[in-house]
């Protein structure tokens, strides 16, 4: 395992619309994607581009959204997870399991269309960590 | 204001030594700096390089460290702040004040030797945000 690029920082928000206005008007983001739903993950997401990395805005979608608990503790939203790229999702999953880290479920297709999984923060230095197979034909 | 590159994600930790071992052995980080103290800010810091961004590990230094409260709520540590680069620290400070954001103190020299300030999370979409003048001769 070699530390890959940080694809995005996930930021939970009670309102993607308000967060888009903030990133556009206060932070000066020039490239902000259209929000889209990921029903299987219970979130609506929207990517904001910084020059070297993205911010993934995530808003709860549905009653069972996994981020309701986070927003209950952090009503204004806040940093939720960090997502690193790997060349091969299955090798990465096996690696983390060999380290004794708690991998949360099977790899599934994430917001960028490539497989991802999450690893429990208790085994990741306190940070909920998403591992994502590098998109093919990625701009980076 | 134009959104600059994300210089680093600040990650609070109760033990930089343990976090270094995690980033090296579990995440595969190949370039990890030496920890150093920032007494004026009440933290010991250490930078871990990902290909496109850094993780800034921060451990409390002294009784009055501003991150004791964060670690009391998050004993394992976790994501603490996001730091964006700007070309001119004073222009940036005036910009955020004009937006009505709560700038926390005067610009001061940060961990990379250039001036920085923090902006209160309540005005920054829930994220404690550090603004940092881009280092001259930066590798990026």
């Amino acid at each position: 395992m070699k530390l890959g690029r940080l694809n995005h920082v996930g930021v939970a928000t009670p309102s993607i619309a308000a967060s888009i206005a903030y990133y556009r008007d206060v932070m000066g983001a020039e490239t902000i994607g259209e929000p889209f739903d990921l029903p299987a993950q219970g979130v609506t997401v929207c990517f904001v581009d910084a020059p070297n990395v993205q911010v993934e805005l995530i808003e709860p979608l549905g009653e069972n959204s996994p981020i309701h608990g986070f927003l209950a503790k952090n009503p204004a939203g806040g940093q939720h997870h960090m997502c690193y790229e790997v060349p091969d999702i299955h090798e990465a999953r096996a690696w983390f399991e060999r380290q004794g880290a708690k991998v949360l479920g099977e790899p599934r297709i994430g917001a960028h269309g490539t497989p991802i999984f999450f690893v429990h923060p208790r085994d990741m230095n306190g940070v909920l960590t998403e591992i994502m197979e590098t998109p093919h034909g990625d701009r980076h």
Side-chain angles (χ1 to χ4, degrees), chain A residues 97-122:
Chain A
E97 292 198 323
R98 283 202 303 278
Q99 310 308 310
K102 185 173 174 58
V103 173
L104 302 168
E106 291 297 318
R108 52 198 181 279
I109 298 300
H112 281 296
T114 61
I116 63 102
F117 60 83
F118 283 86
V119 189
H120 196 288
R122 76 163 186 224

Side-chain angles (χ1 to χ4, degrees), chain A residues 69-91:
Chain A
F70 182 91
L71 288 171
K73 286 185 202 163
N74 307 276
Q79 293 180 75
H80 180 266
H81 68 269
M82 295 173 75
C83 176
Y84 292 96
E85 296 179 9
V86 295
D88 184 299
I89 199 76
H90 296 289
E91 280 181 17

Side-chain angles (χ1 to χ4, degrees), chain A residues 54-79:
Chain A
Q54 291 182 308
V55 174
E56 181 189 40
L57 301 171
I58 47 176
E59 181 187 294
L61 177 67
E63 285 177 15
N64 298 320
S65 173
I67 63 169
H68 282 306
F70 182 91
L71 288 171
K73 286 185 202 163
N74 307 276
Q79 293 180 75

Side-chain angles (χ1 to χ4, degrees), chain A residues 2 6 12 80 135:
Chain A
K2 182 178 162 183
L6 183 72
H80 180 266

Side-chain angles (χ1 to χ4, degrees), chain A:
Chain A
M1 179 85 180
K2 182 178 162 183
L3 184 61
R5 66 185 297 280
L6 183 72
N7 182 275
H8 62 261
V9 177
V11 173
T13 172
S15 165
I16 279 183
S19 292
I20 287 174
Y22 160 79
Y23 276 100
R24 183 189 61 215
D25 300 339
V26 178
M27 293 303 288
E30 295 180 319
T31 305
I32 300 179
E34 288 293 321
F36 59 100
D37 295 345
L38 287 176
Q41 298 192 34
V43 290
T44 301
V45 307
C46 174
F47 286 97
V48 177
D49 287 5
N52 57 327
V53 75
Q54 291 182 308
V55 174
E56 181 189 40
L57 301 171
I58 47 176
E59 181 187 294
L61 177 67
E63 285 177 15
N64 298 320
S65 173
I67 63 169
H68 282 306
F70 182 91
L71 288 171
K73 286 185 202 163
N74 307 276
Q79 293 180 75
H80 180 266
H81 68 269
M82 295 173 75
C83 176
Y84 292 96
E85 296 179 9
V86 295
D88 184 299
I89 199 76
H90 296 289
E91 280 181 17
R93 187 171 191 280
W95 166 263
F96 285 110
E97 292 198 323
R98 283 202 303 278
Q99 310 308 310
K102 185 173 174 58
V103 173
L104 302 168
E106 291 297 318
R108 52 198 181 279
I109 298 300
H112 281 296
T114 61
I116 63 102
F117 60 83
F118 283 86
V119 189
H120 196 288
R122 76 163 186 224
D123 301 315
M124 301 301 269
N125 198 46
V127 176
L128 176 62
T129 302
E130 181 180 357
I131 301 296
M132 169 185 174
E133 197 165 282
T134 304
H136 297 293
D138 191 54
R139 65 193 166 93
H140 304 284

